[in-house]
Amino acid sequence: MPPAGQPVLAQGLAFKALEIEELADVYFFRPLGFVAARLAAALRTTPTQVTILSTVVGVAGGLLLCNQRFALLGFALLIVYSILDSADGQLARLTGRVTELGRVLDGVGGYITHAAIYIGIVAGLVPGSETGRTLVWAALAAIANTAQAQMYEFHRHHYATIVVQGLVLQDDPAKIDSGWIKWLYRWYLALQRSLNGRHVEVESVIAARSNAGVVRTEDRIRYRECFYWVVRGWNLLGDNTRFYAIGVLAWLHRIDLFFMFVLVPMNVALVGLWLWQRRADRKFLAGP
């Protein structure tokens, strides 16, 4: 049974912040992830083992993108990866095994899967094009992909912590025992903060006015008023959008256009959302 006597379904399907979740997550990935989590619990599988399995499936899906004939199969495996990626967190909540290390490993698995996607696409493009040019486009797209994913994860995680949980952010690498994972987590947090300097000011103000780490009700309400719609906008930069694009491009036999998709429309969305976010940050800091 889940902790605190909560119903199994309610505990398993607990969202970071239901009001900002993508519809595909609410009605597809989370319910199927819950089924997978229940099966894993019955088999006494740990959340870490599910994370490893999801990463293996994601890597296989990414590498299959090297061949247009198998690209749709690769896309299907990436969908399975997303379901399992949802399942590990739900399993952790169902079994009371939520840890900082698990959150970091989940993020590492995502990066490994995306690396496999890029490697697979590059491997398929190199034989028919100039290797140097392909690698340059892939590298630029990977950098853009990283920035987009960081902004998406940062704002959704912080919104959920402040508005839903009513707590001040306390990301703490010291809670992680593994040396290299702790170093990776420090780098991850530093990159997020460097991309969101103005919003860090917002959270410093909230923390200074908090009581023993609990956010004031007034600040929770104002945070939601200022950031609700922009956080929903950041959903455009999540994995789902890139996976949808892979599915469409695989169906059209134009998986070679994936890097262009990441670099043009996704970056246009990134810049627009970044400007919108800064405006919302200024509004919050200006006070009521």
Side-chain angles (χ1 to χ4, degrees):
M1 288 295 291
Q6 279 187 297
V8 172
L9 181 60
Q11 178 69 10
L13 285 177
F15 294 93
K16 283 186 176 181
L18 181 58
E19 63 181 14
I20 61 167
E21 292 290 344
E22 299 174 69
L23 292 178
D25 288 327
V26 174
Y27 296 108
F28 183 75
F29 291 115
R30 285 301 182 97
L32 290 181
F34 174 74
V35 173
R38 291 283 286 162
L39 177 60
L43 295 174
R44 300 186 182 278
T45 305
T46 68
T48 297
Q49 289 171 334
V50 175
T51 299
I52 293 172
L53 175 61
S54 71
T55 302
V56 170
V57 173
V59 168
L63 295 179
L64 282 175
L65 299 178
C66 69
N67 191 313
Q68 291 285 5
R69 291 178 298 172
F70 302 121
L72 280 176
L73 175 58
F75 167 67
L77 288 179
L78 290 174
I79 296 301
V80 175
Y81 155 78
S82 295
I83 294 170
L84 293 174
D85 186 47
S86 174
D88 58 6
Q90 296 189 66
L91 177 62
R93 287 188 290 275
L94 282 168
T95 57
R97 295 179 177 178
V98 177
T99 65
E100 195 77 4
L101 176 60
R103 178 170 170 253
V104 175
L105 288 176
D106 186 59
V108 170
Y111 280 111
I112 293 174
T113 295
H114 278 81
I117 290 172
Y118 278 74
I119 291 171
I121 295 175
V122 167
L125 292 177
V126 165
S129 63
E130 183 182 333
T131 301
R133 182 179 300 175
T134 299
L135 292 177
V136 168
W137 282 113
L140 291 175
I143 293 170
N145 197 151
T146 300
Q148 294 157 11
Q150 290 283 328
M151 298 296 279
Y152 165 83
E153 174 60 27
F154 178 93
H155 290 290
R156 282 170 49 84
H157 173 56
H158 287 224
Y159 183 97
T161 303
I162 293 172
V163 175
V164 179
Q165 300 176 30
L167 301 175
V168 172
L169 268 295
Q170 294 181 339
D171 296 321
D172 187 5
K175 296 179 181 178
I176 299 174
D177 296 329
S178 176
W180 72 270
I181 294 180
K182 182 183 296 185
W183 175 85
L184 185 65
Y185 191 30
R186 289 185 189 278
W187 172 83
Y188 173 80
L189 293 176
L191 179 58
Q192 284 192 331
R193 293 188 180 112
S194 68
L195 293 170
N196 297 280
R198 179 56 63 90
H199 199 72
V200 171
E201 295 179 36
V202 169
E203 296 183 356
S204 295
V205 170
I206 292 174
R209 296 196 294 230
S210 67
N211 180 17
V214 177
V215 178
R216 296 190 315 163
T217 300
E218 297 91 331
D219 283 336
R220 291 176 70 180
I221 293 173
R222 180 157 177 76
Y223 193 97
R224 185 184 188 281
E225 290 175 347
C226 292
F227 301 113
Y228 171 77
W229 286 110
V230 66
V231 171
R232 291 201 68 88
W234 285 117
N235 282 341
L236 291 172
L237 302 186
D239 284 348
N240 287 351
T241 302
R242 280 180 286 274
F243 290 169
Y244 299 154
I246 288 173
V248 171
L249 294 174
W251 180 64
L252 296 174
H253 299 289
R254 292 304 308 271
I255 199 69
D256 56 296
L257 295 178
F258 177 72
F259 297 150
M260 191 61 64
F261 172 78
V262 172
L263 286 169
V264 181
M266 292 290 279
N267 269 346
V268 169
L270 172 64
V271 172
L273 288 164
W274 186 79
L275 293 173
W276 188 8
Q277 181 69 50
R278 286 183 64 85
R279 181 180 177 183
D281 290 336
R282 289 194 296 268
K283 178 181 178 181
F284 184 94
L285 292 172

